[in-house]
Amino acid sequence: MKKTVSVLLCLMTLFTLCACGAESERPNAGTTRTVEDVLNNGMSSSAPAPESGSAQGPSSDTPSDSRYKEYDIDLTKLSSTMVYSEVYNMMSEPDEYIGKVVKVKGPFAVYEGKSRNYYACIIEDATACCAQGMEFVPAEKLAYPEDFPPLETQLTVVGVFDTYKEGDNVYCQLLNAELSYWKESPAE
């Protein structure tokens, strides 16, 4: 028994030492990839595309007459884990994303503030426990609630990523945002 334990201990030590070689000796040294690298290299295209809308209302995709024909970041085609990771990166390193065209989808939410309303598309992770709202400012002058969908309506928003400061806090938003949504819940 002692001999078996000793051999296992030696093997574990040997594997640990092999993994600690110099960085230049490792085959993937210097090729650490970020989520943005994966997106830029087209890895996200392997995820299934969302189904287009239903006969009950507009498509969940951006309308064909949209000013945005291409997106720098299309969160609608990523898995929920990748979406959560990318949104986390956007919130923690916003300067890396300023000026990029971003497409998101999720339930509509609004916060009616004293001086203005804050509109958001809610992005949830795989377990729906950690939601993050992506604030957007519509491209058109819209009146709330007349020109907006009901709360929690699934919508797709495309806009230019930017930040702004209120007090000591920095917030992220999509400017000149176009939104599309189902007028009724899509048939499943």
Side-chain angles (χ1 to χ4, degrees):
M1 180 70 178
K2 283 185 177 182
K3 187 175 184 180
T4 305
V5 172
S6 296
V7 170
L8 286 173
L9 186 58
C10 287
L11 285 174
M12 288 174 44
T13 303
L14 180 62
F15 288 133
T16 304
L17 292 175
C18 289
C20 295
E23 186 170 324
S24 61
E25 296 172 2
R26 286 188 243 148
N28 293 327
T31 60
T32 303
R33 295 170 44 169
T34 65
V35 173
E36 186 173 353
D37 294 335
V38 172
L39 291 172
N40 290 337
N41 289 328
M43 296 294 283
S44 64
S45 63
S46 63
E51 294 180 22
S52 56
S54 69
Q56 298 173 337
S59 166
S60 65
D61 291 332
T62 305
S64 59
D65 62 343
S66 168
R67 78 181 86 212
Y68 302 111
K69 302 297 182 199
E70 295 183 19
Y71 320 109
D72 296 310
I73 302 168
D74 186 349
L75 298 178
T76 66
K77 294 189 178 192
L78 300 177
S79 71
S80 56
T81 302
M82 286 295 292
V83 168
Y84 181 78
S85 299
E86 188 68 15
V87 171
Y88 177 82
N89 286 342
M90 293 168 118
M91 300 303 151
S92 61
E93 298 290 335
D95 292 341
E96 300 290 322
Y97 295 89
I98 291 177
K100 293 190 178 189
V101 176
V102 178
K103 181 178 180 181
V104 298
K105 70 177 178 179
F108 172 66
V110 64
Y111 171 73
E112 296 183 59
K114 292 179 182 176
S115 61
R116 71 179 184 107
N117 291 337
Y118 300 86
Y119 308 108
C121 180
I122 305 299
I123 303 167
E124 298 175 336
D125 70 340
T127 60
C129 71
C130 304
Q132 177 70 46
M134 178 63 73
E135 182 183 343
F136 64 88
V137 177
E140 301 174 17
K141 183 86 170 152
L142 302 175
Y144 182 77
E146 301 83 33
D147 297 330
F148 286 89
L151 293 176
E152 298 185 24
T153 298
Q154 289 293 317
L155 56 86
T156 301
V157 179
V158 180
V160 179
F161 189 87
D162 198 17
T163 60
Y164 67 96
K165 194 170 185 176
E166 281 188 2
D168 292 335
N169 299 316
V170 175
Y171 297 97
C172 302
Q173 64 184 350
L174 298 180
L175 294 176
N176 297 316
E178 293 181 350
L179 55 132
S180 57
Y181 59 91
W182 293 285
K183 290 185 180 178
E184 298 176 27
S185 296
E188 301 208 16

